[in-house]
Amino acid sequence: MENILYTYGNKIYMNITNRCPCACEFCVRRNEDGLGDMGSLWLDHEPTFEEIKEAVDSFDFSGYENVVFCGFGEPTCALENMLKTAKYLKSTRNVSIRLNTNGLSDLINNCDNSAERMHGLVDAVSVSLNASDAEKYNAVVHPKFGEKSFDAMIRFAKDCQKYIPSVKMTVVNTIGGAEIEKCKKLCADNGIELRVRTYIK
């Protein structure tokens, strides 16, 4: 499978699943089939760890220092493969590993310790905040878990601070200045850095 691994800018991205419990209004896959120098990121099947490992082994990591779990799906929908891959990368490559996530891993995996399991394997986490409260979040993200999603996402981000060196939350710049300021306050109240990212159409 050639679309498990792709590059964008100076980073390597791992596309290990197309599953996602959300249907975000601004999701790039609503308008595009791929990013960077990769063609379609739609997988014909969800790769096994062996297939992911083969993709890693066949790629030249020279000049790359950062690997990001982020593709056309929520990486924690394939949590076991994500953790195995991160462990393999740590043991075979000199790279920093980041997870881009919707923060719903505990709901997805019916557990309460996703962040703890990432300790020592993931160096940075970027959690999509998207809105300042549960009502606005549900209207934009449409999570299948409903009203409990927002609080679960915030709790996951706070848990990550215990186990992962760098934790940030993000919003897209299209939500408006007033909403961005509310998100900044929410993050500040929880001791988490907020990054405002540009919407990619």
Side-chain angles (χ1 to χ4, degrees):
M1 297 176 66
E2 296 181 354
N3 50 357
I4 292 174
L5 186 151
Y6 67 102
T7 60
Y8 188 66
N10 61 350
K11 298 177 179 64
I12 297 170
Y13 287 76
M14 303 299 301
N15 179 44
I16 63 171
T17 183
N18 285 159
R19 289 182 287 153
C20 184
C22 303
C24 298
E25 295 288 337
F26 47 77
C27 183
V28 67
R29 69 183 193 174
R30 292 167 71 100
N31 302 308
E32 303 289 343
D33 287 333
L35 285 171
D37 28 357
M38 173 53 66
S40 176
L41 290 175
W42 292 110
L43 299 161
D44 56 23
H45 68 276
E46 186 159 301
T48 63
F49 170 67
E50 288 71 25
E51 288 173 316
I52 299 170
K53 180 176 177 292
E54 183 180 351
V56 169
D57 289 343
S58 64
F59 186 83
D60 182 2
F61 276 67
S62 301
Y64 292 98
E65 299 178 352
N66 300 285
V67 173
V68 185
F69 283 92
C70 176
F72 262 28
E74 165 55 40
T76 63
C77 283
L79 182 62
E80 299 304 324
N81 279 345
M82 191 199 89
L83 295 174
K84 288 180 183 178
T85 304
K87 184 176 182 179
Y88 182 67
L89 286 166
K90 284 294 186 183
S91 67
T92 60
R93 305 290 193 278
N94 184 26
V95 293
S96 176
I97 296 176
R98 187 178 85 211
L99 166 65
N100 288 359
T101 178
N102 58 29
L104 301 180
S105 181
D106 287 350
L107 294 180
I108 292 167
N109 295 287
N110 192 29
C111 67
D112 58 6
N113 67 338
S114 293
E116 183 177 3
R117 295 188 65 195
M118 297 175 195
H119 179 62
L121 300 176
V122 175
D123 302 292
V125 171
S126 177
V127 180
S128 296
L129 174 60
N130 296 322
S132 62
D133 60 50
E135 183 178 359
K136 293 186 183 76
Y137 177 85
N138 284 358
V140 171
V141 175
H142 309 292
K144 76 172 189 179
F145 302 109
E147 294 181 357
K148 61 185 178 181
S149 300
F150 184 79
D151 288 343
M153 177 263 297
I154 297 294
R155 185 169 58 251
F156 173 80
K158 293 172 70 173
D159 284 347
C160 284
Q161 292 180 298
K162 304 173 188 175
Y163 305 107
I164 296 168
S166 175
V167 180
K168 296 180 181 180
M169 304 192 87
T170 67
V171 294
V172 291
N173 60 349
T174 57
I175 64 175
E179 183 65 3
I180 288 174
E181 289 304 312
K182 290 179 182 178
C183 290
K184 285 182 180 178
K185 183 179 186 307
L186 174 65
C187 287
D189 289 345
N190 287 284
I192 303 173
E193 181 180 346
L194 178 70
R195 183 172 73 89
V196 180
R197 56 189 177 88
T198 302
Y199 173 54
I200 302 174
K201 295 183 179 180

